[in-house]
Amino acid sequence: MAFKIGLLGYGTVGTGTAEIILDPTGRNNLLQDIEIARVGVRSFDKPRLPELPPGVLTTDLEAIVTDPEIEIVVELLGGLEPSRSLILKAIDHGKHIVTANKAVIARHGEEIYNAANKAGVYVLLEAAVGGGIPVIKPLKQSLGVNRIQTVIGIINGTTNYILTQMTQEGADFSEVLAEAQKLGYAEADPTADVDGYDAADKIAILAAIAFNGRIKREDIPCEGIRQINATDISYADDLGFVIKLLAIAKANSNNDSLQIRVHPTLVSKDHPLANVNGVYNAILVEGDPLGQVMLFGPGAGKGATASAVVSDIVNIVGILQASNIKEKLDPLLRCSHEHFKQLTPIADINSRFYARFLCHDVSGVIGHLGTSFANHNVSLESVVQIGFRNDLAEIVVVTHDVQEGNFHQALEEIKSLESIDSIPSILRVL
Ligand code: HSE
């Protein structure tokens, strides 16, 4: 039996979500049990891919949240209204909710979760923080038995991109922001990102889960990155730091209250968060007894965010299936396979290789190597004659991705060349 879902919004994340659900091969088996029944858009003026069967697209968003056949409503509109009202109406009609909307949850979470608890439905939001990085479920479940002390995140990709560019190029904020807007990394109105509001919404959500209590979003002090300049970045660099926009939530020693804030921060270059660059996000969680764990990955983007959205949909489908009398175990927790996967023989695997040769210093030796590799379809990325070891010339080659079997056949041929003394090392390259 298929579980019917309704999407509110068919923009970047909505179409990414449909792409995953409509192409289930090789992904979680539960995807095959999901049917995109309705998709709500504000207007029909844009062409949208993947194309949906006739009648699925509608501009009547209310009809989706009240449709008796739809079990899960996936809210991907963003912004506060009409998202808040539609989510509340969907809950009122007994739908489970999946959302990527950090602003609506950070600001109206109390109302939404009270309604959901009363209605007995889930509101899942893995995509709201950290894009594709699994962080909500790990915090709730895998890390949940720890007493969390701190959650520190680089959780806004736009500002991390801007600060990274400023650090690497020595450029000023306004210059890099303009460039980021041109490349589509920053919004035309960058306020929510550069003034830290987006990061504050996200840390409010993370802190509520990590510290098991609601957070008043308006109480979070929040400073953005507009005032950061090339001079400070350069001094910070001399002192062994990089500047990052951090969202920090810490338990006070009484464990009763928290510190939460968002601000640009000098981070020692040897700290794990210092090397999180560009649009990447990372969340460092420290808890007792586990110690530190860092979750790192793409913090935004179509595929990454859709991956988190669909993982929530699948989680709810798993629970719904388990409550079905035929299923005794939650399919997400039980072992869901009984067959063996076929493994590719190593000779058929493609890899890049590094190989070091010791050769007699005769003319044409590099040509001989090149010919032998070419005879076996091994394409070279670089060839470097490093120098001499005793009386032998030392040559290093790095290949492109090649079939392992072909590479070894080429080596066999090379070993028989008179100009080759030996091949002291062969390594794979990632
Ligand atoms: N504007 C957000 C960012 C996108 O830059 O991280 C994902 O929430």
Side-chain angles (χ1 to χ4, degrees):
M1 188 193 76
F3 291 88
K4 294 194 176 188
I5 68 166
L7 304 191
L8 302 176
Y10 204 51
T12 307
V13 181
T15 53
T17 297
E19 276 170 21
I20 297 175
I21 294 172
L22 298 175
D23 179 18
T25 310
R27 311 186 202 268
N28 190 300
N29 289 341
L30 290 178
L31 287 173
Q32 288 159 15
D33 299 334
I34 298 169
E35 180 191 331
I36 302 175
R38 304 305 304 276
V39 175
V41 291
R42 286 177 225 251
S43 70
F44 291 130
D45 55 2
K46 288 186 234 158
R48 297 159 199 270
L49 291 172
E51 217 170 294
L52 298 161
V56 170
L57 269 187
T58 174
T59 52
D60 187 354
L61 305 187
E62 295 251 341
I64 295 180
V65 299
T66 55
D67 185 331
E69 295 215 318
I70 286 175
E71 294 185 78
I72 304 170
V73 167
V74 184
E75 186 274 309
L76 304 170
L77 299 168
L80 298 181
E81 285 294 354
S83 302
R84 171 188 154 274
S85 307
L86 288 166
I87 289 173
L88 288 170
K89 193 161 224 176
I91 291 172
D92 205 35
H93 283 78
K95 321 290 179 210
H96 300 284
I97 307 292
V98 171
T99 179
N101 189 335
K102 60 258 166 183
V104 84
I105 296 295
R107 291 143 204 253
H108 298 292
E110 185 181 13
E111 189 183 15
I112 290 170
Y113 280 103
N114 283 346
N117 290 346
K118 202 163 135 218
V121 296
Y122 292 104
V123 177
L124 301 191
L125 70 165
E126 189 59 70
V129 184
I133 305 172
V135 61
I136 304 286
K137 199 170 184 208
L139 266 181
K140 269 192 199 162
Q141 298 188 0
S142 322
L143 304 173
V145 298
N146 289 273
R147 192 170 293 124
I148 304 295
Q149 291 141 345
T150 50
V151 177
I152 306 180
I154 293 176
I155 44 180
N156 182 266
T158 306
T159 46
N160 202 41
Y161 172 81
I162 293 173
L163 290 173
T164 303
Q165 286 298 108
M166 288 173 72
T167 305
Q168 290 173 356
E169 313 285 329
D172 261 322
F173 171 78
S174 48
E175 233 175 285
V176 178
L177 172 62
E179 182 66 19
Q181 283 171 319
K182 217 165 76 190
L183 292 169
Y185 293 153
E187 305 277 344
D189 176 3
T191 311
D193 293 316
V194 302
D195 292 327
Y197 307 143
D198 174 80
D201 287 343
K202 291 170 176 169
I203 195 70
I205 291 170
L206 292 181
I209 296 165
F211 300 106
N212 204 24
R214 289 179 174 160
I215 307 293
K216 285 207 176 103
R217 164 65 180 82
E218 63 273 22
D219 291 348
I220 300 178
C222 178
E223 196 187 299
I225 64 163
R226 287 185 201 265
Q227 79 284 19
I228 304 296
N229 56 54
T231 312
D232 290 322
I233 289 182
S234 163
Y235 279 130
D237 179 54
D238 291 344
L239 295 167
F241 296 98
V242 289
I243 298 181
K244 296 285 179 194
L245 181 70
L246 296 188
I248 302 172
K250 269 189 185 174
N252 288 323
S253 50
N254 59 12
N255 263 316
D256 227 22
S257 57
L258 304 174
Q259 303 168 26
I260 309 186
R261 54 222 152 88
V262 172
H263 48 64
T265 313
L266 271 72
V267 178
S268 170
K269 286 180 189 170
D270 56 15
H271 188 280
L273 287 168
N275 293 311
V276 176
N277 287 322
V279 291
Y280 280 91
N281 281 196
I283 300 105
L284 185 73
V285 181
E286 194 163 0
D288 175 54
L290 178 69
Q292 287 189 338
V293 165
M294 192 163 96
L295 305 157
F296 167 84
K302 181 181 183 173
T305 310
S307 153
V309 167
V310 182
S311 79
D312 277 345
I313 298 172
V314 163
N315 274 305
I316 296 175
V317 167
I319 293 165
L320 295 177
Q321 265 197 10
S323 63
N324 205 323
I325 22 172
K326 285 193 204 124
E327 297 279 346
K328 294 208 171 52
L329 294 171
D330 182 336
L332 286 173
L333 297 181
R334 71 165 154 76
C335 176
S336 62
H337 46 257
E338 286 166 359
H339 63 290
F340 282 92
K341 300 290 271 189
Q342 205 179 357
L343 301 188
T344 308
I346 191 141
D348 295 343
I349 289 176
N350 281 355
S351 302
R352 288 166 68 209
F353 284 91
Y354 159 106
R356 183 159 59 88
F357 301 90
L358 288 175
C359 317
H360 301 290
D361 189 24
V362 292
S363 63
V365 61
I366 290 183
H368 296 154
L369 280 177
T371 307
S372 296
F373 279 126
N375 288 343
H376 298 277
N377 279 332
V378 174
S379 151
L380 299 182
E381 186 180 289
S382 55
V383 180
V384 192
Q385 176 156 357
I386 291 193
F388 288 91
R389 186 172 297 273
N390 304 324
D391 283 340
L392 296 168
E394 193 162 46
I395 296 172
V396 166
V397 303
V398 176
T399 72
H400 285 293
D401 251 350
V402 297
Q403 230 179 51
E404 178 133 356
N406 290 354
F407 179 73
H408 284 292
Q409 281 171 16
L411 288 187
E412 283 312 307
E413 184 176 318
I414 289 167
K415 276 183 199 159
S416 68
L417 297 173
E418 269 185 26
S419 52
I420 301 297
D421 175 81
S422 56
I423 309 176
S425 35
I426 300 161
L427 299 165
R428 288 187 185 78
V429 177
L430 189 64

